[in-house]
Amino acid sequence: MAATIRDVALAAGVGVGTVSRVINDEKSVSPKTRERVFKVMRDLKFSPNIMAARLKRNETRCMALLVPVINHPFFAKFAYYVEDEADKFGYSVILVSSQQRVQKESDIIGRIHSREVDGAVFVTHFAHDEQELLDCPIVSIDRPLGADIPYVTSDNYEATKRAVEYLIEKGCKNIGYIGSKPLVDSEVMERARAYRDVMNDRGMPVREINEIIMHGDERAVVDRFLKEFDGIDGVFASGYSMAQALYAALAESGKRVPDDMQIISYDGTFGQWNGNGITCIEQPIEEMAREVVRLLIKKIHGEDTELRTELKTTFVLGMSTKK
């Protein structure tokens, strides 16, 4: 016999009215209770006829997640937790890889306007006309897209500053910065600013390549960096892919890490170097993903949200710096 709404209520320890409010996505139910009810519904294979209710409210219960590429450890991990958090609220997720094409992002904006999806999480390298984004439930990572679009970021400036100062503490005299500059205003740019501030405060020369780089072009940039700045004994890399390319280039040239060069990366705990993790600034990817989903659902329902949410990173010691 198929489970009924009363069976769900009994198993979840709530009233029938609460289950009904969860099904109809009413705001009065707490996230914790909502998650418990959804779990029981899945366990009991309870399938209420909610499609008609969704159509009546002009909702799809579907959100889009747009990332530049999917074959990057950060984006893959981020997508996993976005989907997991969305599922708790009864939302499905469409994963879209822009592959550096702005048109794919514009298509998602169009799908929001046409009510094909309820909203979207944007990890974007492109600028969009604020008029195009009006009345679009969107939440962004790192990038302020407009006056009414919330975004989640990490403590880019302070974390990078501490990391560069750590390289100095570990004896580095000639420190470089190698990064990928975003096409649009982004808090990622705070990493390069922190590096330059430390160098200027310490009276040390700035040795920096920070430019627009397509995913996959990191090795060519690393080779140019090493050729241009001979004698570097420490490097702060703005991301995992850049640090990975740098490590590979040094290994091929016979230079040893950390004896000949010390490396710290923004992100980097996804992969392993010679069996040991790289010293890095670890972003709270799970927390970031769950926060953007919660913010997006608030936007979809017309609730007020904070414009900027900054989350703390963790400094993780690995084999790429001296002990």
Side-chain angles (χ1 to χ4, degrees):
M1 182 180 296
T4 67
I5 192 171
R6 293 183 182 278
D7 295 329
V8 173
L10 181 62
V14 298
V16 171
T18 298
V19 177
S20 177
R21 287 193 292 273
V22 170
I23 293 172
N24 289 289
D25 194 33
E26 296 184 16
K27 302 174 185 177
S28 58
V29 183
S30 71
K32 185 176 180 180
T33 299
R34 187 187 306 272
E35 181 181 350
R36 185 167 74 251
V37 171
F38 274 126
K39 182 179 184 304
V40 170
M41 288 169 63
R42 289 193 296 269
D43 292 344
L44 297 180
K45 295 182 173 56
F46 176 73
S47 300
N49 184 18
I50 62 175
M51 185 55 67
R54 291 181 183 179
L55 292 173
K56 184 178 179 180
R57 297 194 307 270
N58 203 19
E59 290 184 3
T60 66
R61 303 294 291 177
C62 181
M63 64 177 66
L65 168 60
L66 196 142
V67 297
V69 293
I70 57 176
N71 61 338
H72 185 287
F74 179 94
F75 299 132
K77 191 173 182 180
F78 182 76
Y80 172 84
Y81 288 116
V82 165
E83 195 280 331
D84 184 67
E85 187 67 16
D87 182 64
K88 294 177 181 179
F89 292 90
Y91 281 79
S92 58
V93 178
I94 298 174
L95 177 61
V96 180
S97 172
S98 70
Q99 299 172 336
Q100 313 296 334
R101 297 202 298 270
V102 67
Q103 185 57 46
K104 296 192 75 172
E105 298 189 1
S106 296
D107 289 345
I108 291 297
I109 295 170
R111 293 179 73 174
I112 297 173
H113 283 301
S114 63
R115 308 295 185 184
E116 294 178 51
V117 294
D118 294 336
V121 175
F122 265 48
V123 186
T124 176
H125 290 325
F126 299 106
H128 292 276
D129 188 334
E130 286 196 35
Q131 288 297 119
E132 184 185 18
L133 301 178
L134 283 178
D135 301 321
C136 272
I138 290 174
V139 180
S140 172
I141 287 290
D142 285 327
R143 296 167 175 88
L145 296 178
D148 193 40
I149 298 177
Y151 68 99
V152 177
T153 189
S154 58
D155 55 343
N156 289 274
Y157 182 88
E158 291 300 328
T160 301
K161 183 178 179 181
R162 290 193 300 269
V164 176
E165 289 174 342
Y166 185 82
L167 287 172
I168 296 173
E169 292 174 13
K170 293 302 174 181
C172 292
K173 305 295 183 184
N174 300 294
I175 301 172
Y177 178 98
I178 182 167
S180 178
K181 184 178 180 181
L183 286 164
V184 294
D185 184 28
S186 169
E187 298 220 0
V188 171
M189 297 164 69
E190 291 294 285
R191 302 172 192 176
R193 185 171 75 88
Y195 161 76
R196 290 192 294 269
D197 284 352
V198 174
M199 294 296 98
N200 292 330
D201 290 345
R202 298 291 188 118
M204 302 171 72
V206 171
R207 297 176 169 89
E208 174 187 352
I209 286 184
N210 186 34
E211 57 191 45
I212 297 170
I213 300 169
M214 301 293 285
H215 288 290
D217 293 343
E218 291 87 356
R219 179 55 190 269
V221 176
V222 163
D223 290 340
R224 179 157 48 88
F225 174 86
L226 294 174
K227 183 177 180 180
E228 182 175 347
F229 299 115
D230 188 34
I232 294 286
D233 60 3
V235 173
F236 183 87
S238 70
Y240 161 81
S241 296
M242 196 66 73
Q244 188 179 46
L246 175 60
Y247 189 91
L250 293 173
E252 290 177 16
S253 68
K255 291 188 176 180
R256 299 167 299 168
V257 177
D259 296 333
D260 299 320
M261 186 181 295
Q262 299 186 66
I263 303 171
I264 298 179
S265 170
Y266 210 100
D267 292 326
T269 55
F270 315 109
Q272 300 293 315
W273 282 261
N274 291 344
N276 297 289
I278 193 170
T279 297
C280 67
I281 295 166
E282 182 180 45
Q283 294 192 82
I285 299 176
E286 178 178 353
E287 187 180 358
M288 294 173 78
R290 297 192 188 283
E291 182 63 20
V292 294
V293 171
R294 290 191 287 264
L295 287 169
L296 180 58
I297 291 174
K298 285 184 177 181
K299 290 291 291 182
I300 290 170
H301 294 158
E303 299 177 25
D304 293 334
T305 61
E306 293 291 329
L307 178 61
R308 179 182 183 275
T309 301
E310 180 182 289
L311 301 176
K312 294 297 183 182
T313 55
T314 303
F315 188 65
V316 180
L317 289 175
M319 51 69 62
S320 63
T321 51
K322 294 179 180 178
K323 300 189 183 299

